Amino acid sequence: MQNHPQKNECPPGGDLALEPKKLTLQVSRVQCPMRIDQYLTRQVENATRNKVQEAIEDGRVLVNGKSVKSNYRVKSCDSIEMTFLRPPAPELAPEDIPIDIVYEDSDLMVVNKAPGMVVHPAFGNWTGTLANAILHHFGTDAEELETDELRPGIVHRLDKDTSGLIIVARNPTALHRLARQFADRKVSKLYTAILWGVPEPQEGTIHTNIGRSRRDRKVMANFPYEGLEGKTAITDYRVTENLHWFSLAELTLHTGRTHQIRAHMQHLGHQILGDTTYGGASLRTLDFPRSESFVKNLLDLLPRQALHAASLSFHQPTTGRPLSFTAPLPEDMAQALEKIRVIYRSAREA
C-alpha cells in the first residue's frame, strides 16, 4: 500500500514541529533500473527531488531494510521504506467564500462546485477550499461535525478541476447514512464531458480495474477487469452530440475510483478535452483549415478537463424521500462547446 506524503513545507503562521510520515513501496517486477531519487520523485505524490535526496542523506530511505545513496539503482521487487517529515495539519478555519447552494435542509446541502475549487485542505493547500466555505456557512452548527479531520460533512469528492454537484452532510448521522448509500451504490451520478473524437460504438460500458500506474504513481492506470491489480471500475458512456472531431457525452459511474472517468476515457481512446494528466490537453491537427489555431484557442479557453458532475440522485437520509438535482454546464465548457458547434456547422455547410 502507498500513502501520499506532501511537500515538506510549513503552512502560513510560523514554524511548526515536523512529524514523520512513513510509506512503503514495492517495486514492480517489470521495473527497469533507475536511480532511487528519480524513482521516488516520480512515484510519490508532491515529492521533489531535493526532498527525496535530503531524506536519503538523513537515512530515512531504506531499500530491503538497508540505507542507500541517491545513486542506488532500484531493481525489480525491491522493497522501499521512506519517511518524510511534514508539519502537522493546522486547524480548519471558516472562510467567507461564495458557494452555489442548489439545495439545503436540516441534514444536508447540495453544492454546485466551481472548477478550480479544492474540496478539502491538504498539505500545501490550506485555504480557499469547499471545506473552509462549509464551516463558514454552517456557523455554530458545524460544531456537530468532526472539523479536526479537515473534511467536515464531505461525503464524496470531485477533482479540483471537475465542476458540478457534490453532497455535504450537516450532522454525523446524515454523514453516515449518505456514506452508506454511496457504499451500497444507491447514489446515481451522471457526468457530462467533451471528448476528443467520437467513440464507436457511441454507447457502451467500460469494464477495467483501476489502480496506480506502475510508471507514475500520481496517475491512475487501467488493468485487466477483475484481475489482481487495481480495483473494479465500471463506467457507462453515451454520446449525446456527435461533432465529428469532438463529442458531447454522458457518463454514469457504477463505482467510485480515483480519476475513474478520466482514466476510462483515455482507455477508450477518446480523452476528455483539456485533461492535462490523461492526454487531453495536447495540441492536435484536425482535418480543416487553421485547425491548429482553433485547437490552441480552445485549450486556452478551457485549461482544465471538460468534465462536469451534471446530475445527482439519492435519498434524503432521514425521511428516505428521493432527491434529484441537475446543474447546467459551467461557462467555460459551454463556451468551448459552442465554438466546436460553430466550426462543425461551418464544415458541414462548406
Side-chain angles (χ1 to χ4, degrees):
M1 294 290 290
Q2 178 183 348
N3 299 316
H4 300 292
Q6 309 289 328
K7 293 181 180 179
N8 187 21
E9 297 173 353
C10 289
D15 295 331
L16 294 174
L18 300 178
E19 59 183 20
K21 176 74 172 182
K22 182 174 288 187
L23 65 93
T24 301
L25 291 172
Q26 187 71 39
V27 179
S28 169
R29 283 193 291 268
V30 297
Q31 174 66 45
C32 296
M34 176 185 295
R35 282 178 58 111
I36 190 167
D37 53 355
Q38 294 176 332
Y39 176 81
L40 289 174
T41 302
R42 290 188 182 188
Q43 297 295 316
V44 181
E45 189 172 7
N46 294 330
T48 65
R49 194 165 180 181
N50 284 342
K51 292 299 179 185
V52 168
Q53 290 175 341
E54 181 182 293
I56 292 171
E57 292 171 4
D58 290 347
R60 291 185 276 112
V61 175
L62 304 178
V63 179
N64 304 321
K66 298 180 180 179
S67 298
V68 295
K69 295 183 178 180
S70 294
N71 62 359
Y72 172 83
R73 301 181 77 81
V74 299
K75 301 182 292 292
S76 63
C77 300
D78 274 349
S79 178
I80 302 173
E81 295 180 7
M82 182 174 185
T83 302
F84 269 109
L85 298 179
R86 65 178 194 175
E91 184 177 349
L92 183 65
E95 294 181 47
D96 187 5
I97 303 170
I99 50 177
D100 181 5
I101 300 172
V102 176
Y103 170 84
E104 188 170 17
D105 63 26
S106 59
D107 286 319
L108 63 98
M109 69 178 181
V110 176
V111 174
N112 182 15
K113 186 185 83 68
M117 173 177 268
V118 175
V119 171
H120 58 77
F123 287 92
N125 197 100
W126 298 110
T127 61
T129 72
L130 179 60
N132 296 107
I134 288 167
L135 279 192
H136 181 271
H137 180 76
F138 285 174
T140 56
D141 290 343
E143 295 174 4
E144 289 190 56
L145 298 167
E146 296 183 12
T147 58
D148 59 331
E149 295 188 357
L150 300 183
R151 51 183 74 191
I154 294 174
V155 186
H156 61 121
R157 62 182 295 274
L158 296 174
D159 294 336
K160 172 186 175 182
D161 289 329
T162 297
S163 57
L165 298 172
I166 186 168
I167 309 170
V168 180
R170 295 186 65 103
N171 57 69
T173 300
L175 180 62
H176 172 76
R177 291 175 178 174
L178 289 165
R180 175 50 55 191
Q181 289 187 48
F182 274 92
D184 293 341
R185 300 184 184 177
K186 293 181 178 179
V187 178
S188 175
K189 296 174 286 183
L190 182 69
Y191 290 74
T192 300
I194 303 174
L195 307 180
W196 284 101
V198 183
E200 185 59 45
Q202 294 188 26
E203 184 172 356
T205 301
I206 304 168
H207 297 82
T208 71
N209 279 15
I210 286 181
R212 296 282 171 187
S213 168
R214 298 170 185 148
R215 293 179 297 177
D216 185 349
R217 302 290 290 181
K218 303 172 188 178
V219 176
M220 307 307 291
N222 292 278
F223 298 98
Y225 183 56
E226 296 185 333
L228 298 178
E229 294 190 75
K231 295 181 179 180
T232 299
I234 303 171
T235 305
D236 293 336
Y237 71 90
R238 183 174 70 89
V239 173
T240 58
E241 191 172 357
N242 181 335
L243 296 163
H244 187 65
W245 303 286
F246 304 90
S247 56
L248 189 66
E250 288 183 346
L251 304 130
T252 302
L253 290 176
H254 294 284
T255 51
R257 310 305 175 206
T258 300
H259 295 182
Q260 178 173 323
I261 290 176
R262 299 165 65 189
H264 267 175
M265 292 305 99
Q266 182 188 51
H267 179 72
L268 194 63
H270 295 277
Q271 295 93 335
I272 298 173
L273 177 65
D275 192 337
T276 57
T277 302
Y278 294 93
S282 58
L283 291 173
R284 307 184 187 191
T285 301
L286 307 177
D287 59 348
F288 62 87
R290 298 185 295 278
S291 68
E292 297 91 344
S293 176
F294 174 83
V295 170
K296 184 180 184 303
N297 290 336
L298 197 62
L299 292 172
D300 287 343
L301 174 64
L302 193 69
R304 67 167 181 112
Q305 63 265 15
L307 182 61
H308 177 65
S311 176
L312 195 59
S313 298
F314 57 98
H315 289 85
Q316 209 285 342
T318 297
T319 67
R321 179 169 63 93
L323 298 173
S324 185
F325 306 96
T326 59
L329 284 181
E331 184 176 356
D332 58 353
M333 281 184 66
Q335 289 180 355
L337 185 60
E338 185 54 32
K339 286 184 178 294
I340 293 169
R341 286 170 174 159
V342 168
I343 200 73
Y344 175 63
R345 287 195 296 266
S346 297
R348 291 192 66 184
E349 293 168 0

